[in-house]
Amino acid sequence: MTRAFFIYNKQLGAMSETTKKITLENVDLLSLLGFNDSNLKIIENRFSAVITVRGDSATFKGTEEETELLEKLFKELIYVLNTKGSLRENDVETILDLTLQGKEIINEKEFDSIILYTKNDSIKARTSGQSAYFQLVKKNDICFAIGPAGTGKTYLAVAFAVSALKKGIVSKIVLARPAVEAGESLGYLPGDIREKIDPYLRPLYDSLEDMLPTDKLKQNIEKGVIEIVPLAYMRGRTLNNAFVILDEAQNATDTQMKMFLTRLGANSKAIITGDITQIDLPNRTVSGLVKAQEILTGIQGIGFVYFDKSDVVRHKLVKDIIDAYEKHYDKEKT
């Protein structure tokens, strides 16, 4: 097909105009638009619509058909740029041709479910529970994510936090976990306090290592931009302009939960994750996560999302394991 095939008829401009806008958050504009706007010029040569890029948004003014195509095109370009790390002129030409032929790299629903672009791919909501989680975090400053292992509660919470940091929404991430042993003692391990608590915090490091380049992660930790701490270290602090996560919250006591929630300062968000079927607290100690459901439900700005085995995204056997344990415990109750 010739290039002329894809150039829109200028007479379309006589039709009623419409305006569409797309945010360009977390996008390297120089890479997207090209040196001296070379990528943008390729696009402008193929459309009669007016394209305006200002700050963190792009606006398209033209016929409804053109503005819809431009919206789709820019989403495709952003996806390729953030997953590949670069966007060459021939990439723009190829994606442009595919878009105008009605073909797509990602569909709009998938694009809108992307939480964070990583060094290898992108992190997105993959189940109905995760999609509900995504929407809940957008709307609330404090979110509780409750459900079984493998549903992405912690991993997505870290992704939300890293995304907010990259976009400049917050200036700091604080990740906390209760240092409660899951049926085994680490108290006699050699080393200082930091070396003793690191095993409890390792899952948080694992998530961060998936989302940030090693040197960037190390730099952020050294500068205190990212903190990974035991829950007990949160006492007495006020966290402004921060994204705060409490993981394994079922192992926080009622007093610790209240302490954590009251650390939140101005322009801060918090996510609390946990599995109330995996409580490792001593007998007769009430879980702060269980109590929070009774006390905080219904408060505006605080949201709860519940996962079940249909949201498990780990190995396919994890769902079967959860199902088997549920059936076993149900039998014991009867």
Side-chain angles (χ1 to χ4, degrees), residues 67-84:
T67 54
E68 286 180 357
L69 281 168
L70 282 165
E71 182 182 27
K72 176 65 180 172
L73 172 65
F74 267 69
K75 287 182 177 181
E76 299 277 16
L77 292 170
I78 291 167
Y79 179 81
V80 171
L81 171 59
N82 282 329
T83 51
K84 284 183 59 179

mmCIF file of all heavy atoms in Angstrom, residues 67-84:
data_model
loop_
_atom_site.group_PDB
_atom_site.id
_atom_site.type_symbol
_atom_site.label_atom_id
_atom_site.label_comp_id
_atom_site.label_asym_id
_atom_site.label_seq_id
_atom_site.Cartn_x
_atom_site.Cartn_y
_atom_site.Cartn_z
ATOM 1 N N THR A 67 -9.724 11.985 15.593
ATOM 2 C CA THR A 67 -9.332 12.143 16.996
ATOM 3 C C THR A 67 -9.328 10.794 17.722
ATOM 4 O O THR A 67 -8.471 10.528 18.559
ATOM 5 C CB THR A 67 -10.247 13.135 17.725
ATOM 6 O OG1 THR A 67 -11.613 12.733 17.572
ATOM 7 C CG2 THR A 67 -10.056 14.542 17.197
ATOM 8 N N GLU A 68 -10.265 9.927 17.363
ATOM 9 C CA GLU A 68 -10.286 8.583 17.958
ATOM 10 C C GLU A 68 -9.063 7.776 17.527
ATOM 11 O O GLU A 68 -8.448 7.064 18.332
ATOM 12 C CB GLU A 68 -11.568 7.850 17.568
ATOM 13 C CG GLU A 68 -12.800 8.351 18.299
ATOM 14 C CD GLU A 68 -14.054 7.616 17.895
ATOM 15 O OE1 GLU A 68 -13.977 6.743 16.996
ATOM 16 O OE2 GLU A 68 -15.123 7.894 18.483
ATOM 17 N N LEU A 69 -8.704 7.890 16.253
ATOM 18 C CA LEU A 69 -7.512 7.193 15.760
ATOM 19 C C LEU A 69 -6.239 7.732 16.411
ATOM 20 O O LEU A 69 -5.332 6.967 16.756
ATOM 21 C CB LEU A 69 -7.417 7.324 14.233
ATOM 22 C CG LEU A 69 -8.323 6.397 13.420
ATOM 23 C CD1 LEU A 69 -8.353 6.834 11.957
ATOM 24 C CD2 LEU A 69 -7.851 4.949 13.523
ATOM 25 N N LEU A 70 -6.165 9.033 16.593
ATOM 26 C CA LEU A 70 -4.987 9.633 17.221
ATOM 27 C C LEU A 70 -4.864 9.214 18.688
ATOM 28 O O LEU A 70 -3.762 8.952 19.177
ATOM 29 C CB LEU A 70 -5.037 11.155 17.112
ATOM 30 C CG LEU A 70 -4.641 11.725 15.753
ATOM 31 C CD1 LEU A 70 -5.051 13.181 15.619
ATOM 32 C CD2 LEU A 70 -3.133 11.572 15.523
ATOM 33 N N GLU A 71 -5.998 9.149 19.362
ATOM 34 C CA GLU A 71 -5.987 8.688 20.752
ATOM 35 C C GLU A 71 -5.444 7.261 20.832
ATOM 36 O O GLU A 71 -4.586 6.941 21.658
ATOM 37 C CB GLU A 71 -7.395 8.759 21.341
ATOM 38 C CG GLU A 71 -7.465 8.329 22.801
ATOM 39 C CD GLU A 71 -8.883 8.363 23.335
ATOM 40 O OE1 GLU A 71 -9.836 8.214 22.525
ATOM 41 O OE2 GLU A 71 -9.043 8.512 24.553
ATOM 42 N N LYS A 72 -5.946 6.412 19.929
ATOM 43 C CA LYS A 72 -5.485 5.023 19.882
ATOM 44 C C LYS A 72 -3.998 4.955 19.520
ATOM 45 O O LYS A 72 -3.221 4.212 20.136
ATOM 46 C CB LYS A 72 -6.320 4.254 18.846
ATOM 47 C CG LYS A 72 -5.895 2.828 18.615
ATOM 48 C CD LYS A 72 -6.089 1.995 19.857
ATOM 49 C CE LYS A 72 -5.661 0.558 19.628
ATOM 50 N NZ LYS A 72 -5.675 -0.220 20.874
ATOM 51 N N LEU A 73 -3.588 5.739 18.531
ATOM 52 C CA LEU A 73 -2.199 5.750 18.082
ATOM 53 C C LEU A 73 -1.250 6.136 19.202
ATOM 54 O O LEU A 73 -0.227 5.474 19.426
ATOM 55 C CB LEU A 73 -2.046 6.719 16.903
ATOM 56 C CG LEU A 73 -0.619 6.989 16.426
ATOM 57 C CD1 LEU A 73 0.011 5.724 15.862
ATOM 58 C CD2 LEU A 73 -0.605 8.105 15.384
ATOM 59 N N PHE A 74 -1.560 7.196 19.922
ATOM 60 C CA PHE A 74 -0.676 7.656 20.984
ATOM 61 C C PHE A 74 -0.578 6.628 22.113
ATOM 62 O O PHE A 74 0.487 6.447 22.706
ATOM 63 C CB PHE A 74 -1.136 9.018 21.520
ATOM 64 C CG PHE A 74 -0.474 10.180 20.836
ATOM 65 C CD1 PHE A 74 -0.768 10.482 19.511
ATOM 66 C CD2 PHE A 74 0.464 10.958 21.494
ATOM 67 C CE1 PHE A 74 -0.158 11.539 18.854
ATOM 68 C CE2 PHE A 74 1.094 12.020 20.855
ATOM 69 C CZ PHE A 74 0.786 12.314 19.530
ATOM 70 N N LYS A 75 -1.666 5.958 22.403
ATOM 71 C CA LYS A 75 -1.624 4.905 23.426
ATOM 72 C C LYS A 75 -0.705 3.769 22.984
ATOM 73 O O LYS A 75 0.058 3.217 23.791
ATOM 74 C CB LYS A 75 -3.030 4.389 23.713
ATOM 75 C CG LYS A 75 -3.881 5.363 24.515
ATOM 76 C CD LYS A 75 -5.261 4.799 24.823
ATOM 77 C CE LYS A 75 -6.066 5.750 25.692
ATOM 78 N NZ LYS A 75 -7.402 5.219 26.038
ATOM 79 N N GLU A 76 -0.784 3.417 21.712
ATOM 80 C CA GLU A 76 0.095 2.375 21.163
ATOM 81 C C GLU A 76 1.558 2.829 21.240
ATOM 82 O O GLU A 76 2.443 2.060 21.622
ATOM 83 C CB GLU A 76 -0.279 2.071 19.707
ATOM 84 C CG GLU A 76 -1.683 1.549 19.488
ATOM 85 C CD GLU A 76 -1.805 0.059 19.728
ATOM 86 O OE1 GLU A 76 -0.896 -0.531 20.339
ATOM 87 O OE2 GLU A 76 -2.815 -0.525 19.292
ATOM 88 N N LEU A 77 1.821 4.069 20.860
ATOM 89 C CA LEU A 77 3.195 4.597 20.885
ATOM 90 C C LEU A 77 3.753 4.612 22.302
ATOM 91 O O LEU A 77 4.915 4.254 22.530
ATOM 92 C CB LEU A 77 3.228 6.006 20.288
ATOM 93 C CG LEU A 77 2.939 6.126 18.787
ATOM 94 C CD1 LEU A 77 2.772 7.593 18.397
ATOM 95 C CD2 LEU A 77 4.041 5.474 17.955
ATOM 96 N N ILE A 78 2.932 5.040 23.260
ATOM 97 C CA ILE A 78 3.371 5.089 24.660
ATOM 98 C C ILE A 78 3.682 3.684 25.155
ATOM 99 O O ILE A 78 4.684 3.454 25.834
ATOM 100 C CB ILE A 78 2.286 5.748 25.533
ATOM 101 C CG1 ILE A 78 2.177 7.240 25.195
ATOM 102 C CG2 ILE A 78 2.594 5.571 27.014
ATOM 103 C CD1 ILE A 78 0.941 7.907 25.761
ATOM 104 N N TYR A 79 2.826 2.733 24.794
ATOM 105 C CA TYR A 79 3.043 1.350 25.225
ATOM 106 C C TYR A 79 4.368 0.813 24.678
ATOM 107 O O TYR A 79 5.177 0.238 25.419
ATOM 108 C CB TYR A 79 1.878 0.472 24.760
ATOM 109 C CG TYR A 79 2.036 -0.989 25.147
ATOM 110 C CD1 TYR A 79 1.719 -1.418 26.423
ATOM 111 C CD2 TYR A 79 2.513 -1.916 24.227
ATOM 112 C CE1 TYR A 79 1.870 -2.739 26.788
ATOM 113 C CE2 TYR A 79 2.671 -3.248 24.578
ATOM 114 C CZ TYR A 79 2.343 -3.657 25.854
ATOM 115 O OH TYR A 79 2.507 -4.969 26.214
ATOM 116 N N VAL A 80 4.603 1.004 23.388
ATOM 117 C CA VAL A 80 5.838 0.511 22.771
ATOM 118 C C VAL A 80 7.053 1.223 23.359
ATOM 119 O O VAL A 80 8.070 0.594 23.674
ATOM 120 C CB VAL A 80 5.786 0.702 21.236
ATOM 121 C CG1 VAL A 80 7.146 0.391 20.612
ATOM 122 C CG2 VAL A 80 4.721 -0.197 20.627
ATOM 123 N N LEU A 81 6.968 2.539 23.538
ATOM 124 C CA LEU A 81 8.079 3.296 24.106
ATOM 125 C C LEU A 81 8.428 2.819 25.505
ATOM 126 O O LEU A 81 9.597 2.593 25.827
ATOM 127 C CB LEU A 81 7.725 4.789 24.137
ATOM 128 C CG LEU A 81 8.691 5.713 24.893
ATOM 129 C CD1 LEU A 81 10.090 5.644 24.303
ATOM 130 C CD2 LEU A 81 8.165 7.146 24.892
ATOM 131 N N ASN A 82 7.414 2.651 26.338
ATOM 132 C CA ASN A 82 7.678 2.279 27.731
ATOM 133 C C ASN A 82 8.073 0.822 27.903
ATOM 134 O O ASN A 82 8.712 0.465 28.895
ATOM 135 C CB ASN A 82 6.449 2.579 28.593
ATOM 136 C CG ASN A 82 6.330 4.053 28.923
ATOM 137 O OD1 ASN A 82 7.330 4.753 29.038
ATOM 138 N ND2 ASN A 82 5.123 4.545 29.060
ATOM 139 N N THR A 83 7.709 -0.029 26.964
ATOM 140 C CA THR A 83 8.117 -1.437 27.070
ATOM 141 C C THR A 83 9.465 -1.690 26.391
ATOM 142 O O THR A 83 10.273 -2.474 26.881
ATOM 143 C CB THR A 83 7.047 -2.369 26.470
ATOM 144 O OG1 THR A 83 6.686 -1.926 25.163
ATOM 145 C CG2 THR A 83 5.815 -2.406 27.340
ATOM 146 N N LYS A 84 9.717 -1.015 25.257
ATOM 147 C CA LYS A 84 10.996 -1.187 24.549
ATOM 148 C C LYS A 84 12.094 -0.263 25.072
ATOM 149 O O LYS A 84 13.274 -0.556 24.970
ATOM 150 C CB LYS A 84 10.823 -0.915 23.054
ATOM 151 C CG LYS A 84 10.153 -2.026 22.274
ATOM 152 C CD LYS A 84 10.107 -1.691 20.787
ATOM 153 C CE LYS A 84 11.496 -1.475 20.213
ATOM 154 N NZ LYS A 84 11.472 -1.169 18.764
#
